[in-house]
Amino acid sequence: MPISLNYVLKRTFLSILIVIGVIVFTYTLLIITPGDPAVKWAGNPRGPKAHEAVELARRELGLDQPIYIQIARFIYNVFTGNLGLSIAYKIPVTQVVYSGFTSTLELLLFTYILAVPVGVLLGLYSALRRGSSIDGFIQSFSVVLASTPTFWLATIIVLVIYSTTGFLPYGRVSSKLEITTGFQSITGFYLLDSLLQGNIPVFLDVLTRLIPPALAISVYPLGVITRVTRTLIAEALLEDYVKAGVAWGVNRTTILKHFVFRSIIPPIIQTSGLAFVYSMVDAMVVESLVFGRPGLGSILLDALHKADFRVALALVIYLTIFYIIVNTLVDIIQAIIDPRVKL
Amino acid sequence: MSEEVIKLERVTAGYKVVKGALSIWKQVNVVLRDISFSIGKSERLAIIGESGSGKTTLLKVILGLLKPIKGSVLLYGRDIYRIPDEEREKILRKIGYVPQDPYRSLNPVLKVKTIIGEPLEVIGENKEKIEKRVVEVARFVGLPWSALDDTPEELSGGMRQRVLIARAIIANPEILVLDEPTSALDVSIQAQILNLLNNIYSNFKPTMITVTHDLAVAQYLADRVIILKDGCIVEEGKLEEVLYNPRHEYTKTLVSSYLYTTTTNSVSGFNNKS
Amino acid sequence: MVLAVKTVNLRIGYLDEEEEKIQWAVRGVDLEIQEGESFCLVGESGSGKTTLANAIAGILPPHAVTQGKVYIFDKLVVDDSSRNYNGVRGRIVNYIPQNPGTSLNPFLTIEDHFYYVLRDLYKYDKSKSKSIAIETLSKVGLTSEILDYYPHELSGGMKQRVLIALALASNARIIVADEPTSSVDASLRAGILGLLSKLNKEYRVTLIIVTHDIKMTSAICNRTAVMYSGEIVEIGKTSIILQSPKHPYTRMLMECVPILGVEKPLKPLPGEPTRIFEDISWCSFRERCPYASVECKTTPSMIPVGDDESHFVKCWRFHEVA
């Protein structure tokens, strides 16, 4: 599979431009929305030390300097992760965002690593039986899945689990277990960390608390990917080159693997990528409001409650950058796999 | 020497292509090089070329759709790319054009009678006159009455081709341009269409240009031919001279390939000549 | 002589879900093709020639409905509604598709194409399939450097030759070629036909060519069958069919075809090739036939013409055909 380096470079360069554009746009919002940007940056302080805090903020942002220096400095700060201290907690903002980020990302990755293959297999199963009633059923059912409101489903899941087992699936890990087993967070991804430390009780605990929210979030990608896969495979089977392959004597497995699958992987990756960023919002809502887990959702809520402007700003910027990175990766993977993309 | 209706003088034409990592560099892809020829009134010309020869581009240049990079395109003595828009439109209205591929050249949501009447609508004729002409022309090309209210999707390939021809002749064009008029059709329908085109010619004597890759079709629809290869004219002249006694290597290849794939006993006439 | 292909009252149709009827594309074909023959199947659109060819090549779609029998070298591949081409596709019958532009897998290099086909058919490994690929590609005039190319990097003529090489490489005894020259530029057509002819004469491959171009048949086939509306209406030695066709439809085809160097008027019959999909008990050509008479209200049978053992016509009135 040839990698067209030209395309990769072009695409990466383009996405960097977009990221810079986003940062500039955000900074512009900071400046042009009503009110003194230094006051916002200082977090609307009250009391006797307010004036000093605002002046400090003014110097931090460099508001006394020409606009292009301000913007350049801001861009630099974003890339180096230096966006000041959280107004509420006095620790670096990026640290706050990162801690939430790993929790939410862990949940999302866990969900998608399971949902995507299941969706593809279901779609394949359905496509191979196209026209039959089971095919029709799976197609309709996947629409239902994709349209199910996640928040509602999450609440139902909690109720069902609690009423049947008495166990309330909240939080990310049992704090009691954390203390008794001396669990340390290294990467921020608890499943990984607990395995690295050989801490099985914590591993199982984290897993148990991951499954219910993952279940709720998985419903949307499952529905979408099943439908998309089914359609793609059914159409691919009608292609001239598949017909030719069959005529040449290529057997069914090879046809599926090398004639059909290779053509559907790029669009499936693209669909999954887009669904992933959509699910991010779902996850933020559900993890914080229904399952009480730490993560980007609760951080955002917290920042808004406490007028922690810097955290909110940082979260928005880094989340957007994450979206752009995912999109770029999806495009690049597509270019790698499909030999016809040559730009 | 009849009046020169169409004359191309040293025409070079091509398309701009975007290249480069940031898609900002433009390059020109030259398709036609130094093309010169002329057609007289009521003459029938065939442009013979294979895919990639530039025949589509040549048609676009003649139809006023693609301005050449160099050279001039004269219709009735006027360079159509160097006159004001109004004048150009008046001249271009004298051309009736039958595009390639009857399966993709018709608007699928319009009724056939609307499609055929379009050229008259554009020049502002009144509705009754248009309706009358549509019926007249439809009958002439052999479209059944019922087809007028159908959409193109409901018609066969041969019928669609007749719709395209009807639309091209409804405004009484002095020049008729046909792009591969029979390639997409079955043999028996092809014969019907060829007969129809000859009928149109004998009744109205338009200046005709047919683009085709089929040598036998060229024989039926033209008196003079131009052989186009890689954007250049490699040979031209009267049909009998060029095809029966080809001089250029490429023409010889075309003819011999045709012969190889068409040896039938009824080709005795040809064998005598060559 | 061994029979390469034999069909017995073969009928092939497609189920129209909306109208809940079967549209018959092939209606009662009895055909015998000897090994080593080069055979042409001629017809316009709707004649059923492609469907018939697909049935021989083993690529009928799953929703097709079949009746009757098809034997490939004595192996029963179609037995009324059940079809079984295991071990036949690729190995015994191979297929050259009509459109070279879309018939190669865009995700595989040319070398990959050969590898997967030969691996699945004969369990050859990479090096063996590569050497066979080089050998067959050179037979069609292509060098080994195209092995690393992807289909979209090749020209139309090269793709067509790759398709022929693939059919050669599988060493099949029957090759079905669907309109081998329609998608190809005029200057390359002679080459393709020459190649196919060589396959037949030198390697004794049974050739079945599907075409709409009746004037091409004598360049490559010694026997021709003309199809109309799902039936074979005339069959015989190509030279005889072209010289003295006995079926009104064949005669019309010959009179419709423009031929370079011959000044003759074209005489098509009015109307279009009819697409009859139901079962009828009368001659399908009746509406357009200039010789139609009372007898034609019953479907004609295949009648031998004169003393020629190989020439048959499905017409009651063929004696009248000039």
Side-chain angles (χ1 to χ4, degrees):
Chain A
M1 291 182 277
I3 298 178
S4 26
L5 194 61
N6 195 16
Y7 180 76
V8 173
L9 288 178
K10 184 169 140 179
R11 192 67 184 77
T12 315
F13 179 67
L14 215 59
S15 49
I16 294 177
L17 283 181
I18 296 176
V19 167
I20 292 180
V22 164
I23 298 173
V24 169
F25 179 72
T26 317
Y27 190 75
T28 313
L29 281 183
L30 173 63
I31 302 290
I32 66 174
T33 46
D36 185 353
V39 171
K40 296 178 210 162
W41 190 251
N44 278 320
R46 301 265 184 274
K49 295 283 175 107
H51 184 72
E52 284 167 36
V54 172
E55 286 314 308
L56 182 66
R58 201 179 299 278
R59 278 201 303 281
E60 270 180 18
L61 280 184
L63 284 169
D64 40 343
Q65 293 178 310
I67 186 74
Y68 51 88
I69 294 196
Q70 286 180 41
I71 290 182
R73 173 189 259 195
F74 191 68
I75 294 176
Y76 179 74
N77 283 336
V78 170
F79 277 110
T80 54
N82 179 17
L83 284 173
L85 300 180
S86 154
I87 296 164
Y89 300 111
K90 307 289 189 265
I91 51 175
V93 152
T94 35
Q95 194 177 325
V96 175
V97 173
Y98 182 75
S99 66
F101 188 69
T102 52
S103 171
T104 312
L105 194 63
E106 184 176 42
L107 174 59
L108 278 171
L109 285 177
F110 181 76
T111 308
Y112 268 70
I113 288 176
L114 293 176
V116 171
V118 171
V120 169
L121 287 173
L122 262 183
L124 174 65
Y125 183 83
S126 192
L128 289 178
R129 287 159 188 70
R130 61 191 176 286
S132 71
S133 39
I134 186 88
D135 174 34
F137 174 74
I138 291 182
Q139 281 196 285
S140 319
F141 190 62
S142 50
V143 173
V144 169
L145 285 180
S147 348
T148 307
T150 323
F151 188 83
W152 170 84
L153 185 62
T155 322
I156 303 277
I157 289 176
V158 169
L159 286 174
V160 165
I161 293 182
Y162 184 64
S163 51
T164 51
T165 64
F167 169 69
L168 201 60
Y170 73 95
R172 199 177 174 191
V173 69
S174 145
S175 35
K176 200 163 84 170
L177 260 188
E178 226 184 326
I179 298 172
T180 53
T181 58
F183 173 72
Q184 299 283 355
S185 160
I186 312 171
T187 60
F189 293 96
Y190 287 8
L191 276 182
L192 193 59
D193 291 339
S194 54
L195 280 181
L196 287 176
Q197 295 165 39
N199 192 338
I200 303 299
V202 167
F203 178 79
L204 288 176
D205 184 58
V206 172
L207 192 64
T208 326
R209 292 174 200 267
L210 260 184
I211 292 178
L215 214 56
I217 301 172
S218 69
V219 154
Y220 171 73
L222 197 62
V224 168
I225 289 176
T226 305
R227 273 257 297 192
V228 165
T229 311
R230 187 259 175 224
T231 310
L232 286 172
I233 292 185
E235 277 174 9
L237 286 173
L238 297 171
E239 289 276 359
D240 276 347
Y241 60 85
V242 169
K243 209 168 76 158
V246 169
W248 292 324
V250 178
N251 68 40
R252 194 176 176 185
T253 325
T254 315
I255 294 271
L256 283 178
K257 248 172 68 172
H258 298 281
F259 284 60
V260 171
F261 255 66
R262 286 210 205 187
S263 69
I264 65 171
I265 287 180
I268 288 187
I269 291 183
Q270 185 161 40
T271 313
S272 308
L274 293 175
F276 189 81
V277 296
Y278 174 85
S279 291
M280 198 135 208
V281 175
D282 252 2
M284 281 167 65
V285 166
V286 158
E287 73 181 354
S288 53
L289 296 179
V290 179
F291 292 98
R293 297 168 57 92
L296 287 178
S298 41
I299 287 182
L300 184 60
L301 277 179
D302 193 56
L304 294 174
H305 280 319
K306 301 199 169 91
D308 196 343
F309 181 80
R310 298 180 194 173
V311 169
L313 182 75
L315 194 146
V316 164
I317 291 182
Y318 286 118
L319 199 56
T320 313
I321 293 180
F322 180 70
Y323 278 31
I324 293 170
I325 292 178
V326 170
N327 269 316
T328 309
L329 275 178
V330 161
D331 279 347
I332 290 179
I333 292 180
Q334 193 149 2
I336 291 177
I337 296 187
D338 188 341
R340 291 172 292 188
V341 177
K342 275 271 146 131
L343 303 156
Chain B
M1 179 69 180
S2 46
E3 169 203 344
E4 277 174 353
V5 168
I6 302 179
K7 182 167 178 170
L8 267 68
E9 283 174 347
R10 310 211 59 179
V11 166
T12 298
Y15 303 96
K16 292 205 191 82
V17 159
V18 188
K19 272 193 179 304
L22 289 175
S23 301
I24 53 176
W25 283 289
K26 291 205 182 28
Q27 198 181 298
V28 178
N29 191 9
V30 175
V31 175
L32 292 175
R33 292 163 213 280
D34 210 20
I35 304 273
S36 304
F37 67 88
S38 63
I39 311 172
K41 193 161 160 46
S42 296
E43 263 192 33
R44 301 186 306 162
L45 175 78
I47 300 176
I48 297 179
E50 302 182 307
S51 55
S53 58
K55 51 189 177 156
T56 317
T57 311
L58 181 54
L59 273 190
K60 284 196 190 159
V61 167
I62 295 175
L63 291 172
L65 297 171
L66 179 67
K67 182 165 174 183
I69 300 166
K70 281 193 226 159
S72 34
V73 180
L74 300 150
L75 256 60
Y76 295 101
R78 316 292 310 277
D79 184 336
I80 57 173
Y81 292 101
R82 296 201 174 93
I83 55 178
D85 285 345
E86 257 184 55
E87 268 190 72
R88 172 166 63 235
E89 268 166 45
K90 266 181 67 184
I91 297 182
L92 290 178
R93 290 218 187 104
K94 297 190 203 244
I95 303 181
Y97 170 57
V98 179
Q100 196 176 12
D101 202 345
Y103 291 96
R104 291 202 308 214
S105 304
L106 291 169
N107 187 337
V109 302
L110 292 179
K111 287 204 181 143
V112 162
K113 64 184 179 194
T114 317
I115 294 176
I116 298 179
E118 258 179 333
L120 292 182
E121 230 182 303
V122 163
I123 61 177
E125 285 283 5
N126 65 62
K127 269 179 69 178
E128 292 98 46
K129 182 132 186 260
I130 297 182
E131 249 188 76
K132 209 174 117 206
R133 270 295 283 163
V134 166
V135 169
E136 216 181 299
V137 150
R139 191 179 326 134
F140 184 81
V141 303
L143 276 173
W145 181 258
S146 55
L148 288 176
D149 280 308
D150 286 335
T151 60
E153 303 291 305
E154 303 169 66
L155 300 182
S156 67
M159 288 295 152
R160 290 188 217 203
Q161 189 70 297
R162 291 175 207 267
V163 171
L164 287 172
I165 294 175
R167 182 176 68 173
I169 64 174
I170 195 172
N172 289 319
E174 291 172 29
I175 303 172
L176 197 55
V177 176
L178 304 137
D179 192 353
E180 303 274 6
T182 56
S183 313
L185 304 174
D186 280 322
V187 157
S188 57
I189 313 291
Q190 190 180 57
Q192 292 172 357
I193 299 290
L194 288 176
N195 284 344
L196 170 61
L197 291 172
N198 277 331
N199 194 9
I200 292 177
Y201 182 73
S202 51
N203 273 310
F204 305 108
K205 294 267 192 293
T207 308
M208 262 175 76
I209 304 179
T210 308
V211 168
T212 181
H213 65 272
D214 188 325
L215 304 180
V217 166
Q219 180 184 274
Y220 270 82
L221 296 179
D223 308 303
R224 280 179 58 217
V225 304
I226 283 176
I227 312 278
L228 204 61
K229 176 173 173 20
D230 292 331
C232 301
I233 297 181
V234 298
E235 198 162 344
E236 76 162 297
K238 280 172 63 177
L239 184 125
E240 295 83 32
E241 283 166 21
V242 172
L243 294 184
Y244 296 178
N245 284 312
R247 263 175 285 173
H248 192 277
E249 272 313 306
Y250 179 66
T251 323
K252 289 188 190 164
T253 317
L254 280 182
V255 174
S256 62
S257 179
Y258 177 89
L259 281 182
Y260 181 88
T261 58
T262 315
T263 46
T264 72
N265 292 328
S266 48
V267 188
S268 51
F270 197 145
N271 287 336
N272 282 343
K273 286 195 175 113
S274 62
Chain C
M1 282 289 273
V2 182
L3 272 186
V5 175
K6 179 177 163 121
T7 74
V8 178
N9 201 16
L10 178 63
R11 288 159 60 84
I12 309 175
Y14 299 100
L15 186 56
D16 185 340
E17 278 168 24
E18 276 172 31
E19 297 176 35
E20 290 183 7
K21 282 195 305 195
I22 300 183
Q23 317 257 37
W24 295 103
V26 172
R27 300 184 294 130
V29 166
D30 295 294
L31 183 60
E32 283 183 6
I33 302 180
Q34 312 273 8
E35 181 179 20
E37 266 202 80
S38 63
F39 189 85
C40 265
L41 212 44
V42 175
E44 296 180 298
S45 48
S47 56
K49 61 187 193 299
T50 309
T51 311
L52 180 56
N54 287 350
I56 299 175
I59 51 173
L60 286 174
H63 62 274
V65 175
T66 46
Q67 284 174 11
K69 300 197 194 312
V70 178
Y71 297 87
I72 308 267
F73 282 113
D74 291 334
K75 181 171 154 72
L76 188 58
V77 293
V78 173
D79 187 0
D80 280 326
S81 50
S82 70
R83 305 195 277 277
N84 181 2
Y85 290 90
N86 286 344
V88 172
R89 286 194 196 105
R91 236 191 262 244
I92 304 187
V93 185
N94 214 323
Y95 173 76
I96 301 177
Q98 175 175 359
N99 190 345
T102 53
S103 300
L104 288 171
N105 186 335
F107 299 93
L108 298 180
T109 60
I110 305 301
E111 188 178 344
D112 287 334
H113 277 87
F114 281 91
Y115 171 61
Y116 289 117
V117 170
L118 293 172
R119 183 197 70 171
D120 281 358
L121 283 180
Y122 304 120
K123 300 205 197 333
Y124 290 163
D125 61 12
K126 281 218 181 215
S127 55
K128 180 134 196 227
S129 71
K130 184 168 177 172
S131 60
I132 294 184
I134 297 179
E135 199 190 312
T136 49
L137 284 170
S138 70
K139 285 193 189 141
V140 299
L142 292 170
T143 61
S144 63
E145 57 176 30
I146 68 153
L147 283 176
D148 294 318
Y149 280 84
Y150 284 88
H152 67 274
E153 298 174 303
L154 302 177
S155 74
M158 289 163 90
K159 284 191 260 212
Q160 180 73 298
R161 285 185 281 168
V162 167
L163 289 173
I164 297 179
L166 274 169
L168 252 186
S170 67
N171 228 346
R173 298 165 74 184
I174 305 174
I175 289 189
V176 177
D178 196 347
E179 309 267 11
T181 56
S182 332
S183 318
V184 169
D185 279 341
S187 53
L188 298 172
R189 277 181 203 171
I192 303 280
L193 283 187
L195 205 43
L196 291 172
S197 199
K198 201 168 91 158
L199 283 186
N200 171 246
K201 299 205 168 78
E202 274 181 42
Y203 305 104
R204 298 222 304 129
V205 170
T206 311
L207 264 189
I208 303 178
I209 311 249
V210 175
T211 180
H212 66 275
D213 186 357
I214 192 166
K215 63 185 195 285
M216 185 184 85
T217 54
S218 59
I220 187 163
C221 297
N222 44 41
R223 220 158 53 103
T224 299
V226 177
M227 286 188 76
Y228 184 82
S229 199
E231 305 171 284
I232 293 184
V233 295
E234 190 161 4
I235 184 170
K237 290 211 188 74
T238 307
S239 47
I240 310 275
I241 303 256
L242 294 180
Q243 231 171 349
S244 45
K246 284 294 171 200
H247 194 280
Y249 176 65
T250 320
R251 182 161 163 269
M252 182 203 75
L253 277 187
M254 289 305 299
E255 297 203 331
C256 270
V257 164
I259 296 186
L260 185 66
V262 177
E263 310 266 343
K264 60 163 185 165
L266 300 177
K267 297 203 217 131
L269 290 173
E272 319 229 318
T274 38
R275 306 180 81 110
I276 304 176
F277 293 124
E278 305 84 31
D279 282 325
I280 50 175
S281 58
W282 57 89
C283 174
S284 54
F285 193 58
R286 193 176 62 166
E287 278 131 37
R288 305 171 75 195
C289 185
Y291 302 94
S293 72
V294 169
E295 308 161 85
C296 305
K297 70 173 194 281
T298 46
T299 319
S301 24
M302 281 298 236
I303 307 173
V305 177
D307 300 325
D308 189 345
E309 280 178 2
S310 61
H311 190 179
F312 289 84
V313 153
K314 198 167 186 178
C315 178
W316 298 127
R317 307 269 294 153
F318 76 89
H319 298 285
E320 321 287 333
V321 179

